[in-house]
Amino acid sequence: MHSSGAPFWLKAAAIGGLMFMHIPILLIFVYAFTTEDRSYQWPPPGLTLDWFAVTWNRSDVWAALGLSLRVAAISTVIALILGTLCAAAVSRTKFFGRETISLLVILPIALPGIITGISLRSAFNLADIPFSFWTIVLGHATFCVVVVYNNAVARFRRTSGSLVEASMDLGANSFQTFRYVILPNISTALLAGGMLAFALSFDEVIVTTFTAGQQQTLPIWMLEELVRPRQRPVTNVVAMVVVLVTFLPILGAYYLTRGTDTVAGQGK
Amino acid sequence: MADLAVRSASKEASPTWLERVSDAFWRRPGLLLAVLLAPPLLWLGVVYLGSLFALLAHSFFSIDEFSGVIVYEFTLSTYAELFAPAHIDIIVRTVTMAICVTIAAAIIAFPIAYYAARYAKGRWKALFYLGVMLPLWSSYLVKVYSWKLILAREGILNWLFETLHLTWLLEAYLAIPLIGGNSLSVSSTGTFLVFVYVWLPFMILPIQAALERVPVTMLEASSDLGAAPAQTLRHVLLPLALPGIVAGSIFTFSLTLGDYIIPQIVGSSRRFIGQAVYAYQGTAGNIPLAAAFAVIPIIIMAIYLWLAKRKGAFDAL
């Protein structure tokens, strides 16, 4: 085996694999402009921008988008607080049951989404909790904690403990130390974690179907269109917008943590 | 600790309550730990573990056949229902699919991961990284939707076969029972393709992480000792990549076991575990049976994780 260049079969398989991952997403962009509105005909008979205007005037799409954004925003805030606290505790000290806590944080995402979904559904049933905005948030925040936790814990490990000691030696109290020493050190990791948590929540559908009742988040709106297609062109446009909206936080998180030993987004 | 004395002496005048709390944290680290841990533990403990417990509890309840109301009394009859032939069928189908998807994903993922770990440098490395990360994080539903477009009767794949005058080949393939069907979008092959596509990035990342740790010198040593590339691959590279492959397979396996949306949108009418869970808790209102069904993936994953741990897969995560 040469150490300089890759063998041809490897290069071909790797690039072929990457294309396999990207072509389907690119197709979505083409379909958003097609003039065909009754089938998924390929190649598209013509191209038009009309569907963007049609989608813009759809109140149900806006309502679903609004709900999704609100759920994602609040879940992200909760996940940021819980994830950071947990990461601070786990990375600062060694204590009994530390491994168990790491496992507990990862569990909601390690087990299939349907388990988290049906579990919450069972719990709401037992406790007689009616479906509401907050039942959706409850589920989302639970599985978003791990994303923030992973990012924060990696950064805490790299932040030297002597910085905190120096700050205390110079007379700062715990809160001042947190505000002026710890926070500036972990802020980009938190921002990256928050963006990923937002993307995760914005896109979540499996758990949400169990916790939303009759409410429609954007993914649930899309799911209904997938099961019973009624407005294909509108769905195409929404799909394209969703791809663009989720790409921004991912690219942002990547640039924020680039160059460190743990780049954001490794675990989902 | 000397600084503590100096510090408290200088502030003896009138410590605000914030400073008093701060001092308490310093004197008793256990207190700080408790304050840090309490909110996340309360949340995860109550919301998540509580829910899992509710799930487990429900699986031991049953449903009254006539009124359709849940009977909150301990019984094993719901679990007994799982052994009905139709249900066994669902379980076997789901596990078979999970195994096939995992193997296919590993085969496609390996070259990508190996190239990215060993040969990609600088810009190419970043490109490969984003190339895996963007599909990983882009919307799950949009990815499934794109395959509905691809596999549709009037879609791009059929068009491709037609342009290449290979429609006869596709039709011959679809005529095969079990994996075929009326068209690709309603066949098990379609479901399989979408599963592989959607979970592929979850397999690439751990394999890449495992391969990054393999020193190039080791591969050179292997070829210096006279091994052909294929032998190096078989006897050096694969064993070292195995923990990564197992780690990736945890994701692909677990995600396939629990998914109910992909087989509902692309696939035949034959059900998977996830669909059974969803259907029983929804229109049927049979939460006990849905809960008992959901326990199956938990048990399978527990066994799988236990085996994976023995293979050392967790070091590659």
Side-chain angles (χ1 to χ4, degrees), chain B:
Chain B
M1 283 297 157
D3 60 293
L4 189 64
V6 178
R7 205 154 57 93
S8 43
S10 67
K11 281 175 190 162
E12 230 161 5
S14 59
T16 65
W17 68 272
L18 264 182
E19 280 162 354
R20 252 182 251 148
V21 173
S22 171
D23 285 350
F25 282 160
W26 183 254
R27 258 180 254 123
R28 287 196 283 161
L31 184 69
L32 177 61
L33 187 67
V35 170
L36 288 177
L37 273 180
L41 277 193
L42 274 178
W43 182 285
L44 288 171
V46 173
V47 176
Y48 195 66
L49 289 185
S51 303
L52 275 182
F53 181 75
L55 171 80
L56 214 62
H58 263 102
S59 68
F60 288 107
F61 298 150
S62 62
I63 197 155
D64 190 292
E65 276 179 39
F66 299 103
S67 59
V69 178
I70 298 171
V71 185
Y72 294 99
E73 272 169 30
F74 178 84
T75 168
L76 286 174
S77 64
T78 311
Y79 277 105
E81 272 183 69
L82 286 183
F83 292 98
H87 292 157
I88 292 280
D89 220 33
I90 292 177
I91 296 166
V92 171
R93 180 177 309 122
T94 312
V95 174
T96 313
M97 178 62 90
I99 294 170
C100 295
V101 167
T102 300
I103 294 171
I107 292 172
I108 301 176
F110 190 84
I112 304 177
Y114 184 47
Y115 190 87
R118 171 118 189 261
Y119 295 103
K121 299 260 152 39
R123 273 172 170 276
W124 274 97
K125 189 114 187 163
L127 191 77
F128 260 86
Y129 183 80
L130 283 177
V132 176
M133 215 48 82
L134 287 179
L136 170 68
W137 283 92
S138 60
S139 168
Y140 161 83
L141 276 178
V142 169
K143 283 186 277 192
V144 180
Y145 183 60
S146 71
W147 278 88
K148 201 174 158 102
L149 301 176
I150 293 170
L151 298 175
R153 201 167 259 292
E154 67 278 8
I156 189 167
L157 206 63
N158 274 336
W159 171 82
L160 207 65
F161 274 103
E162 214 168 288
T163 322
L164 298 171
H165 302 289
L166 287 172
T167 310
W168 56 271
L169 189 70
L170 184 64
E171 271 167 14
Y173 179 81
L174 286 174
I176 305 171
L178 269 183
I179 54 171
N182 274 335
S183 80
L184 272 177
S185 60
V186 293
S187 66
S188 310
T189 310
T191 319
F192 167 78
L193 278 172
V194 183
F195 270 133
V196 172
Y197 175 75
V198 175
W199 309 141
L200 185 60
F202 292 91
M203 183 62 104
I204 296 176
L205 290 172
I207 298 185
Q208 188 179 340
L211 287 175
E212 301 259 12
R213 283 185 228 150
V214 178
V216 180
T217 46
M218 197 178 273
L219 304 177
E220 284 168 354
S222 164
S223 71
D224 284 352
L225 291 169
Q231 285 174 308
T232 306
L233 180 73
R234 167 74 189 79
H235 296 286
V236 182
L237 210 50
L238 275 184
L240 288 168
L242 195 65
I245 298 175
V246 175
S249 74
I250 293 171
F251 291 109
T252 55
F253 207 79
S254 150
L255 289 165
T256 310
L257 282 185
D259 197 277
Y260 74 93
I261 288 177
I262 291 172
Q264 184 189 357
I265 290 168
V266 178
S268 60
S269 54
R270 293 188 287 266
R271 276 190 185 168
F272 285 77
I273 290 180
Q275 285 168 292
V277 173
Y278 187 68
Y280 282 124
Q281 65 86 36
T283 42
N286 193 346
I287 299 183
L289 188 54
F293 247 117
V295 171
I296 296 170
I298 299 184
I299 294 172
I300 295 176
M301 281 321 293
I303 299 171
Y304 201 94
L305 286 174
W306 178 71
L307 286 174
K309 197 170 177 181
R310 289 183 44 184
K311 287 261 170 210
F314 292 106
D315 310 331
L317 280 178

Side-chain angles (χ1 to χ4, degrees), chain A residues 162-224:
Chain A
S162 54
L163 277 179
V164 175
E165 280 167 20
S167 159
M168 299 293 235
D169 285 353
L170 292 169
N173 65 34
S174 313
F175 300 98
Q176 288 167 325
T177 306
F178 176 76
R179 169 70 188 80
Y180 295 107
V181 178
I182 300 177
L183 203 57
N185 263 303
I186 62 168
S187 60
T188 50
L190 289 190
L191 199 56
M195 283 177 167
L196 295 178
F198 191 92
L200 192 60
S201 162
F202 185 73
D203 180 43
E204 215 292 329
V205 64
I206 292 191
V207 175
T208 318
T209 47
F210 289 92
T211 58
Q214 299 299 314
Q215 305 166 85
Q216 263 195 341
T217 60
L218 200 61
I220 292 190
W221 183 91
M222 269 208 74
L223 179 62
E224 279 180 16

